[in-house]
Amino acid sequence: GVPLENLSTETRVALIPVAVDRLVKKGFKVVIEKGLGQTIQISEAEYTKAGAQIANHKETLNSDIVLRIRKPGLEELPLLKKGALYISFLDPFNEKELVKAFAAQGVSAISMEMIPRSTIAQKMDALSSQANLAGYVSVILAAERSNKIFPMMMTPSGTITPARVFII
């Protein structure tokens, strides 16, 4: 199950149609909440074509495996079934109450930011990809606000010295 994110500023989604197709071909039943791809301009038709079923919020949370970008609200935990697996960024060191609530509900949880950054787990390394994107976006935003140009091209007459950027 893939519910909508509970934070209005979160525009990422936990599953795209290509991944839905792979999971369905491996025998999984995938249910997504109505409107899941809206923030990234992916229609429900694309999800259903890949094999996903459209469901309401409660149905997606009542799945054997729940995929999400962000942690659930404490009010959502009773909707998770006992024995389910919840996978997302969870911030377990700062969210001790949430971790205890998962245990009390009988739900196992995988915190994506806690997966080791090693060659063996490289395909599941969510932090590096997000950090890479954040760095890229930071430079684009800096270029937009700067009163200097950030040239990204060469011409027959030479190049313009690029701006130096330091991101903290």
Side-chain angles (χ1 to χ4, degrees):
V2 187
L4 289 173
E5 295 299 321
N6 51 11
L7 191 61
S8 63
T9 56
E10 180 59 75
T11 58
R12 299 172 294 175
V13 296
L15 212 56
I16 58 173
V18 171
V20 169
D21 182 57
R22 286 187 201 144
L23 289 170
V24 169
K25 285 179 179 170
K26 290 185 185 279
F28 287 92
K29 175 185 171 188
V30 178
V31 293
I32 65 160
E33 187 171 347
K34 184 172 180 53
L36 179 71
Q38 196 169 11
T39 58
I40 57 171
Q41 287 77 48
I42 294 179
S43 69
E44 287 175 4
E46 291 176 73
Y47 277 105
T48 54
K49 183 180 176 186
Q53 297 173 17
I54 309 300
N56 65 35
H57 187 70
K58 189 175 179 179
E59 291 170 324
T60 59
L61 287 172
N62 190 30
S63 299
D64 294 322
I65 301 171
V66 178
L67 305 173
R68 211 181 209 173
I69 301 294
R70 304 277 183 148
K71 62 187 176 240
L74 290 173
E75 73 284 353
E76 291 178 312
L77 287 180
L79 300 174
L80 297 170
K81 66 165 66 167
K82 185 178 175 94
L85 176 63
Y86 190 97
I87 304 171
S88 74
F89 289 105
L90 295 170
D91 192 18
F93 291 122
N94 295 312
E95 293 290 340
K96 289 178 177 50
E97 187 179 343
L98 179 64
V99 172
K100 287 177 185 173
F102 273 127
Q105 184 70 20
V107 172
S108 297
I110 296 176
S111 184
M112 291 302 294
E113 69 269 35
M114 301 307 289
I115 293 176
R117 298 173 75 191
S118 68
T119 353
I120 295 170
Q122 193 167 6
K123 287 185 177 183
M124 298 186 329
D125 176 10
L127 289 180
S128 294
S129 64
Q130 295 306 293
N132 190 10
L133 287 171
Y136 178 81
V137 168
S138 297
V139 172
I140 299 297
L141 291 172
E144 179 183 56
R145 288 166 175 79
S146 177
N147 60 0
K148 294 183 178 182
I149 59 170
F150 282 33
M152 295 190 219
M153 63 183 174
M154 287 193 286
T155 66
S157 61
T159 60
I160 302 169
T161 306
R164 288 180 174 238
V165 178
F166 178 64
I167 300 172
I168 300 173

